[in-house]
Amino acid sequence: MSKQPDKAHKIEDFFDSVLDIFYDGIYITDANGQTIKVNSMYEKLTGLKKEDLLGRLVTDLENEGVYTSPLNPTIVKTGKPQTSVQVNKEGRRVVVNGYPVFDKEGKVVYVVTYVRDVTVLSQLKEQIASQADLIEKYHQEARYLRKSNFQDSQTIVESPKMKNLMQLLKRIAATDTTVLLLGETGVGKDVFARKIHEYSSRKDQPFFKINCATIPENLIESELFGYDPGAFSGASAKGKPGYFELADKGTLFLDEMGELPLPMQAKLLRVLQDQEVMRVGSTRIKRVDVRFIAATNRNLEEAIKDGSFRSDLYYRLRVAVLDIPPLRERKEEIIPLINYFLDKFNIKYKKHIHFSPSVKNYLLHYKWTGNVREVENLIQGLVVTQEKDILDVTDLPSYFIADDNHKDQLFQPESFNMGDRTLSEMMDSFERELLKRALELHGTISNVAQVLGMDRSTIFRKLKKHALI
């Protein structure tokens, strides 16, 4: 007789263990509303203890403020599933979904309630929506880039360095080899990447640019390799191709290559070597035919030493190298670039702005640490903000006027011949030439006084002395 209760007890324990497997909280009541089962997840989600609930009526628990809105009475009465938001005495909010269990006669004998945390569900929903927005954003960018023509890939080539570089670029473009573009920020590496594609046999195929520094680290793999349906939360039900697949038969430009995380460097190396990709969540390998161009402003050899860049990937990329010189080393292109961007933004903003000779002379001697991008941004800003048609030095931003680079230029007079002159005569001549050049560069007496660190009245008196005003 003692074996029957033991067997029943074991079945009870087994049933409790099964309920504890579920990720949802489970709360089971009978037709009278008495609590008969509560799993461990319910305890975690609500903060309520099993021993305080078992055997208790849901109506009593509601009256005592243990929780609100029990579903049992309504489900027993209607025989239909119900859903509600329940708040317990600790202030925790949970979603409760109740379902009736019927006997052979069709009467409700039990109510099984599944419980889920509202906060967790909201967070998951926000994460999924955010991830979906990011993925869609990058694929919109991809679609835009695929349609992109090359009207903006204007290249100004005037200096000997750039002429030699363009000849090398055309020779490299005719092959399918991987290209590594080196150079300071703003020298126009993206323009050269487009030129390589434009001069290649792939010019009628897609061209994609990816900035490795701007894609969130948790999205890089899915963006490059794509993903299969259900690969992760928020993934499209149809899956999506990555940039490697989208660029098939075309060119893929990996900008800011030095910022790629180490795990992705290893995976990219395999793609470069084998031209094979596998989507996230897939077991199927797909072959691609992609021409890779990489660019960086980092010293990759130093990055190898500090362990942030793989040496094998570096040597795999360093097949054909184009080292683009900074703008200060190709001054022959400064004025043509200024004219090009001035025309471009005049047309865009329907303006008719021109620069005076003193402005162009001033800009010619600026060091342009931001390179071509700085030229473009300056010209765009001037065209947008200025109203008059002809701009003078005074219309330039204040940081240009006060720039120390121009102070050096003031002390380089075009002609200075000692001859038989006395020291006083030579100093007088030097002062006149310096002031004349300063006035040409800076346009006004106030600007000259600011740059030379002198009172405006002193500069005025000296200019008058030398008959410069």
Side-chain angles (χ1 to χ4, degrees):
M1 296 291 294
S2 62
K3 291 183 179 180
Q4 283 298 109
D6 288 343
K7 186 177 181 181
H9 184 70
K10 288 181 179 178
I11 292 174
E12 188 84 3
D13 289 343
F14 173 75
F15 188 57
D16 288 339
S17 299
V18 171
L19 292 179
D20 286 340
I21 293 173
F22 289 89
Y23 285 104
D24 292 326
I26 297 178
Y27 191 104
I28 302 177
T29 53
D30 62 17
N32 298 317
Q34 185 177 20
T35 306
I36 59 175
K37 289 292 177 186
V38 175
N39 74 346
S40 58
M41 183 55 71
Y42 182 87
E43 292 181 294
K44 291 179 182 178
L45 291 175
T46 63
L48 303 176
K49 298 297 182 184
K50 185 185 301 186
E51 55 267 24
D52 297 332
L53 301 172
L54 291 177
R56 301 288 307 279
L57 294 173
V58 295
T59 49
D60 291 342
L61 292 169
E62 180 184 21
N63 292 333
E64 294 172 13
V66 175
Y67 51 62
T68 64
S69 309
L71 298 180
N72 179 284
T74 305
I75 293 174
V76 171
K77 183 178 179 180
T78 64
K80 295 180 180 180
Q82 299 289 326
T83 299
S84 181
V85 175
Q86 195 174 82
V87 183
N88 64 28
K89 62 182 180 181
E90 295 184 0
R92 295 193 187 183
R93 296 166 60 86
V94 291
V95 175
V96 290
N97 296 284
Y99 299 88
V101 178
F102 301 96
D103 62 12
K104 293 181 179 179
E105 285 74 34
K107 293 182 179 179
V108 176
V109 289
Y110 296 106
V111 174
V112 179
T113 304
Y114 295 90
V115 180
R116 291 172 182 170
D117 191 329
V118 171
T119 304
V120 172
L121 288 174
S122 299
Q123 289 174 345
L124 285 173
K125 185 177 180 181
E126 289 174 4
Q127 289 173 1
I128 290 169
S130 176
Q131 195 173 55
D133 288 344
L134 279 171
I135 291 170
E136 181 58 27
K137 172 188 171 184
Y138 291 122
H139 280 279
Q140 284 177 354
E141 179 185 351
R143 289 192 290 272
Y144 168 78
L145 289 171
R146 182 166 187 166
K147 295 175 183 177
S148 173
N149 58 37
F150 294 92
Q151 293 176 351
D152 286 334
S153 61
Q154 178 69 30
T155 309
I156 306 296
V157 179
E158 298 289 342
S159 67
K161 281 188 177 182
M162 289 299 289
K163 289 177 181 178
N164 291 335
L165 191 70
M166 285 303 298
Q167 290 176 1
L168 177 58
L169 181 148
K170 291 177 182 179
R171 291 198 299 272
I172 292 172
T175 71
D176 261 353
T177 188
T178 301
V179 184
L180 179 61
L181 302 177
L182 302 176
E184 296 178 2
T185 298
V187 293
K189 293 185 285 292
D190 56 337
V191 173
F192 284 88
R194 290 173 181 269
K195 279 294 178 185
I196 292 170
H197 180 77
E198 186 178 0
Y199 287 128
S200 75
S201 60
R202 298 170 181 260
K203 62 182 178 181
D204 296 324
Q205 298 299 325
F207 173 90
F208 291 97
K209 173 188 173 182
I210 304 171
N211 190 319
C212 300
T214 60
I215 302 179
E217 190 168 341
N218 63 328
L219 285 178
I220 288 179
E221 184 172 7
S222 61
E223 287 301 295
L224 291 178
F225 288 85
Y227 60 85
D228 268 5
F232 51 85
S233 297
S236 168
K238 297 179 181 179
K240 279 195 175 180
Y243 281 106
F244 292 144
E245 290 184 52
L246 291 171
D248 190 32
K249 303 295 188 299
T251 303
L252 184 60
F253 174 40
L254 300 169
D255 198 9
E256 303 291 351
M257 183 68 186
E259 307 306 319
L260 201 64
L262 278 169
M264 282 308 304
Q265 291 179 26
K267 293 183 179 183
L268 175 61
L269 178 62
R270 288 196 293 271
V271 177
L272 287 169
Q273 291 172 340
D274 304 329
Q275 292 275 306
E276 293 179 343
V277 297
M278 183 186 295
R279 291 187 183 185
V280 176
S282 175
T283 57
R284 186 170 62 89
I285 292 174
K286 181 174 182 179
R287 288 198 62 80
V288 293
D289 175 18
V290 179
R291 202 265 179 83
F292 289 94
I293 302 174
T296 183
N297 58 6
R298 289 186 65 191
N299 186 323
L300 293 183
E301 292 180 354
E302 290 297 324
I304 291 170
K305 290 178 183 178
D306 65 30
S308 61
F309 202 83
R310 293 176 62 102
S311 59
D312 48 2
L313 177 58
Y314 172 67
Y315 294 120
R316 184 65 184 79
L317 290 171
R318 196 177 177 87
V319 179
V321 180
L322 287 177
D323 197 347
I324 305 168
L327 190 56
R328 62 183 172 274
E329 294 180 10
R330 42 185 172 114
K331 285 184 176 291
E332 298 91 337
E333 279 135 31
I334 292 176
I335 298 302
L337 279 168
I338 289 170
N339 293 334
Y340 168 73
F341 288 123
L342 198 54
D343 288 343
K344 174 182 176 180
F345 293 118
N346 271 329
I347 293 170
K348 181 174 182 179
Y349 299 111
K350 298 179 175 61
K351 296 284 194 76
H352 299 88
I353 289 176
H354 300 280
F355 290 160
S356 68
S358 61
V359 170
K360 289 191 176 181
N361 186 47
Y362 196 95
L363 298 180
L364 177 64
H365 291 91
Y366 184 70
K367 287 191 176 179
W368 299 110
T369 53
N371 293 294
V372 179
R373 187 179 301 148
E374 187 180 5
V375 179
E376 181 176 13
N377 291 340
L378 171 73
I379 305 303
Q380 183 176 16
L382 289 171
V383 172
V384 168
T385 59
Q386 297 296 326
E387 289 294 333
K388 56 186 182 180
D389 288 342
I390 299 178
L391 303 187
D392 207 343
V393 175
T394 53
D395 299 307
L396 294 175
S398 58
Y399 70 88
F400 268 76
I401 294 173
D403 180 57
D404 288 338
N405 297 331
H406 289 93
K407 291 182 181 179
D408 296 336
Q409 296 162 29
L410 297 179
F411 295 93
Q412 298 175 10
E414 293 177 0
S415 62
F416 187 71
N417 182 16
M418 293 178 63
D420 296 326
R421 295 181 297 176
T422 65
L423 177 62
S424 176
E425 290 173 336
M426 286 189 290
M427 292 299 293
D428 196 56
S429 176
F430 182 84
E431 183 181 74
R432 185 184 190 283
E433 192 169 347
L434 186 149
L435 289 170
K436 179 183 177 183
R437 186 162 178 78
L439 197 60
E440 289 174 352
L441 283 171
H442 300 286
T444 67
I445 296 174
S446 297
N447 292 339
V448 172
Q450 181 182 357
V451 171
L452 295 180
M454 300 178 71
D455 291 338
R456 185 181 182 280
S457 58
T458 303
I459 295 296
F460 180 79
R461 177 170 46 80
K462 288 180 177 291
L463 289 171
K464 222 174 165 189
K465 170 190 169 183
H466 295 295
L468 294 174
I469 56 173

